[in-house]
């Protein structure tokens, strides 16, 4: 990595923000009215640098340019409050496509971003006048039941990862939103329902395939594990987004999980908020480590979700009794396969959107996040906050956003996460606009 610093890799980003980067047949600007070419591939206007042993690169995979019918869908992220217009989007079909795209960007001095699940906060996985390397179609899943190891492509999202593992009664920590990239969530740390039982997602990461710069203007694939590039693996575990390379594959240590009990309790109104919150804070930190929970506070409703690994209905109710005894909540308990429960929860959340996938906070909070996470992402920029509190957001305006995005409801979500200290707990809180 010493051959190319992050400054070298991003040195055109500032220029792209104030002027156009010109590509043969395609003049790019920061507006939707971008001229385009019908040529089968993009070639830079200036000549690629001549580097011994590294021939001029050609973009491969599924290439989308301005003017293509699929360009608008291809460029938009999950949060349409942030809209960018890249020169080209390269959807990698295999790791070599990522190598080619990174080499091409380096040879032609083009700003780049990397994208997977499109949930990057504030549009960090997209760029004006540059190339987006999209790894969302790298969806391989390989499970070795005997070794209890699973290797997944960087395009696998959390729903796909959870359900694939659950079919063989295995699990690893993920977040609760299925469409988020498993790769991006893991590299940012990875908080979710199984935290107290398994730790963060990055704790289970044992290897990664990474595309990095090589030489003057090339790229190559390396594998980081405990025996090879172990310092890189260590860094990827929680600080991997936007810092060290483009992750194309992750390998996890997975854990047997036959079933769990899923509890949902709903309180109408906020009259019981103090009692519920106090009971939850008093009960959960000392509970069995198999119990994970989240508390959501909406404008007119309180929602408790809890997951008890290898649990039964009576056991789950007993553990949560101090909380459930407050007021008269509507309580449901489901016991079954983790994949089935996770998938069903996605269906419910899409009918009544849940929170936590994206957040907008104060400018001071956003500044802190920008300093900690680069805009050139690996998998996706999706920072995890282990013990921080964001300010409540305002419902922002979005040009061209769907009506649902403009009818934002404010909600706060709390969950518990295991501290880095043995046996310790920290409270994780997040405020976000429900879209």
């Amino acid at each position: 990595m010493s051959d190319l610093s992050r400054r070298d890799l991003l040195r055109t980003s500032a220029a792209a923000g104030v002027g156009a980067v010109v590509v043969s047949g395609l003049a790019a600007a920061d507006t939707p009215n971008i001229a385009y070419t019908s040529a089968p591939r993009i070639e830079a206007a200036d000549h690629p640098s001549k580097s011994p042993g590294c021939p001029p690169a050609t973009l491969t995979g599924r290439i989308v340019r301005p003017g293509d019918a699929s360009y608008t869908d291809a460029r938009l992220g999950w949060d349409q409050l942030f809209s960018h217009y890249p020169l080209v989007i390269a959807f990698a079909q295999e790791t070599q496509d990522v190598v080619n795209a990174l080499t091409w960007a380096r040879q032609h001095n083009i700003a780049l971003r990397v994208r997977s699940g499109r949930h990057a906060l504030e549009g960090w996985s997209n760029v004006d006048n540059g190339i987006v390397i999209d790894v969302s179609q790298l969806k391989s899943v390989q499970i070795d039941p005997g070794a209890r190891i699973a290797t997944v492509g960087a395009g696998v999202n959390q729903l796909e990862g959870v359900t694939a593992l659950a079919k063989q009664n295995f699990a690893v920590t993920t977040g609760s939103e299925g469409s988020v990239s498993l790769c991006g969530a893991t590299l940012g740390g990875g908080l979710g329902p199984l935290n107290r039982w398994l730790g963060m997602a990055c704790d289970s990461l044992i290897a990664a395939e990474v595309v990095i710069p090589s030489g003057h203007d090339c790229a190559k694939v390396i594998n980081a594990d405990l025996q090879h590039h172990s310092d890189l693996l260590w860094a990827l575990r929680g600080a991997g987004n936007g810092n060290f390379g483009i992750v194309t594959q992750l390998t996890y240590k997975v854990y047997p999980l036959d079933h769990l009990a899923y509890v949902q309790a709903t309180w109408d109104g906020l009259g019981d908020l103090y009692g519920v919150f106090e009971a939850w804070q008093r009960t959960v930190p000392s509970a069995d480590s198999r119990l994970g929970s989240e508390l959501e506070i909406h404008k007119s409703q309180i929602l408790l979700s809890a997951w008890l690994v290898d649990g039964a209905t009576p056991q789950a109710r007993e553990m949560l009794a101090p909380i459930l005894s407050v007021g008269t909540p509507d309580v449901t308990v489901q016991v079954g396969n983790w994949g089935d429960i996770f998938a069903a929860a996605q269906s419910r959340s899409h009918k009544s959107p849940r929170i936590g996938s994206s957040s907008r906070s104060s400018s001071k909070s956003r500044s802190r996040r920008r300093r900690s996470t680069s805009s050139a992402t690996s998998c996706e920029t999706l920072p995890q906050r282990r013990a921080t509190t964001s300010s409540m957001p305002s419902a922002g305006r979005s040009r061209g956003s769907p009506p649902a995005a403009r009818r934002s409801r404010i909600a706060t979500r709390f969950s518990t996460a295991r501290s880095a200290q043995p046996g310790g707990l920290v409270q994780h809180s997040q405020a976000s606009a429900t879209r």
Side-chain angles (χ1 to χ4, degrees), residues 5-160:
S5 68
R6 288 204 302 144
R7 178 176 296 179
D8 293 332
L9 191 63
L10 300 175
R11 63 184 178 271
T12 60
S13 296
V18 296
V21 176
V22 179
V23 174
S24 178
L26 187 153
D30 57 356
T31 68
N33 301 317
I34 302 178
Y36 63 94
T37 177
S38 59
R41 70 185 185 225
I42 295 178
E43 299 289 354
D46 56 338
H47 296 290
S49 58
K50 307 301 182 180
S51 177
C54 189
T58 299
L59 294 177
T60 56
R62 184 168 73 88
I63 308 303
V64 179
R65 317 171 185 80
D68 289 346
S70 60
Y71 178 75
T72 297
D73 288 339
R75 72 173 182 82
L76 288 175
W78 182 86
D79 189 346
Q80 294 181 26
L81 290 172
F82 302 93
S83 185
H84 296 279
Y85 297 87
L87 290 175
V88 59
I89 305 166
F91 288 89
Q93 311 297 301
E94 59 183 10
T95 299
Q96 186 58 45
D97 296 334
V98 177
V99 175
N100 294 343
L102 178 55
T103 303
W104 185 88
R106 296 191 67 198
Q107 291 179 348
H108 298 301
N109 206 28
I110 300 296
L112 69 90
R113 300 293 185 271
V114 184
R115 186 180 69 184
S116 182
R118 306 196 192 193
H119 279 263
L121 294 173
E122 304 192 13
W124 289 333
S125 61
N126 209 334
V127 63
D128 292 317
N129 308 316
I131 179 174
V132 172
I133 303 175
D134 189 297
V135 297
S136 64
Q137 295 176 8
L138 302 179
K139 289 191 176 292
S140 61
V141 177
Q142 299 175 341
I143 302 173
D144 184 339
R148 295 183 180 177
I149 289 175
T151 299
V152 303
V156 173
N157 64 34
Q158 294 184 141
L159 174 60
E160 294 163 341

Side-chain angles (χ1 to χ4, degrees), residues 78-82 349 353-355 358-360 394-396 404-409 432-435:
W78 182 86
D79 189 346
Q80 294 181 26
L81 290 172
F82 302 93
S349 69
R354 295 188 60 181
I355 63 180
S358 177
S359 68
R360 300 201 69 199
S394 59
R406 293 194 292 269
R407 296 196 300 268
S408 299
R409 292 183 291 115
S432 66
T434 302
R435 284 187 267 276

Side-chain angles (χ1 to χ4, degrees), residues 322-362:
I323 310 171
L324 301 181
S325 63
V326 178
T328 55
D330 179 23
V331 181
T332 62
V333 184
Q334 179 183 359
V335 178
N337 176 270
W338 174 221
D340 295 337
I341 290 175
F342 190 92
Q346 305 308 305
S347 299
R348 287 192 294 271
S349 69
H350 292 158
K351 294 177 182 178
S352 177
R354 295 188 60 181
I355 63 180
S357 298
S358 177
S359 68
R360 300 201 69 199
S361 55
S362 68

Side-chain angles (χ1 to χ4, degrees), residues 200-412:
M200 301 178 74
C202 63
D203 293 332
S204 298
L205 182 64
I206 61 175
E209 180 183 81
V210 190
V211 177
I212 63 170
S214 175
H216 179 67
D217 58 3
C218 301
K220 67 179 181 181
V221 182
I222 64 171
N223 291 285
D225 55 32
L226 294 177
Q227 288 75 41
H228 309 90
H229 306 288
S230 59
D231 55 342
L232 175 57
L233 177 64
W234 177 87
L236 291 174
R237 288 172 165 169
N241 282 323
N243 289 308
F244 310 110
I246 304 172
V247 175
T248 53
Q249 199 171 77
L250 297 172
T251 300
Y252 298 88
K253 183 70 176 177
V254 297
Y255 300 87
L257 176 56
D258 179 70
H259 69 277
L260 55 70
Y262 174 45
V263 181
Q264 275 203 313
T266 304
W267 289 261
D268 290 331
L270 300 180
D272 293 314
L273 176 57
Y274 178 84
V276 171
F277 193 81
E278 190 277 335
W280 179 74
Q281 291 237 306
R282 172 170 39 87
T283 303
V284 172
S286 59
D288 190 312
S289 64
R290 294 177 299 136
L291 179 70
S293 65
E294 294 178 351
L295 185 65
E296 299 181 22
I297 304 168
H298 297 262
K299 290 169 63 176
S300 58
Q301 186 183 73
I302 306 168
L303 175 63
L304 171 71
S305 299
W307 302 264
L308 179 60
V309 172
D310 294 329
T313 298
Q315 190 179 23
R317 282 183 172 272
E318 180 182 358
M319 289 185 183
L320 296 169
I323 310 171
L324 301 181
S325 63
V326 178
T328 55
D330 179 23
V331 181
T332 62
V333 184
Q334 179 183 359
V335 178
N337 176 270
W338 174 221
D340 295 337
I341 290 175
F342 190 92
Q346 305 308 305
S347 299
R348 287 192 294 271
S349 69
H350 292 158
K351 294 177 182 178
S352 177
R354 295 188 60 181
I355 63 180
S357 298
S358 177
S359 68
R360 300 201 69 199
S361 55
S362 68
S363 60
K364 184 176 180 180
S365 177
R366 289 197 298 270
S367 177
R368 285 196 298 267
R369 290 203 300 271
R370 285 193 183 104
R371 285 197 295 269
S372 63
T373 310
S374 167
S375 59
T377 67
S378 53
C379 288
E380 189 105 24
T381 300
L382 189 66
Q384 302 286 337
R385 288 163 286 171
R386 299 192 60 178
T388 62
T389 304
S390 299
S391 63
M392 291 296 288
S394 59
R397 296 180 179 178
S398 172
R399 290 181 299 172
S401 296
R406 293 194 292 269
R407 296 196 300 268
S408 299
R409 292 183 291 115
I410 305 303
T412 304

Side-chain angles (χ1 to χ4, degrees), residues 183-203:
C183 179
T186 299
L187 297 184
L191 296 171
L194 304 182
N195 261 121
R196 299 185 69 243
W197 180 49
L198 298 179
M200 301 178 74
C202 63
D203 293 332

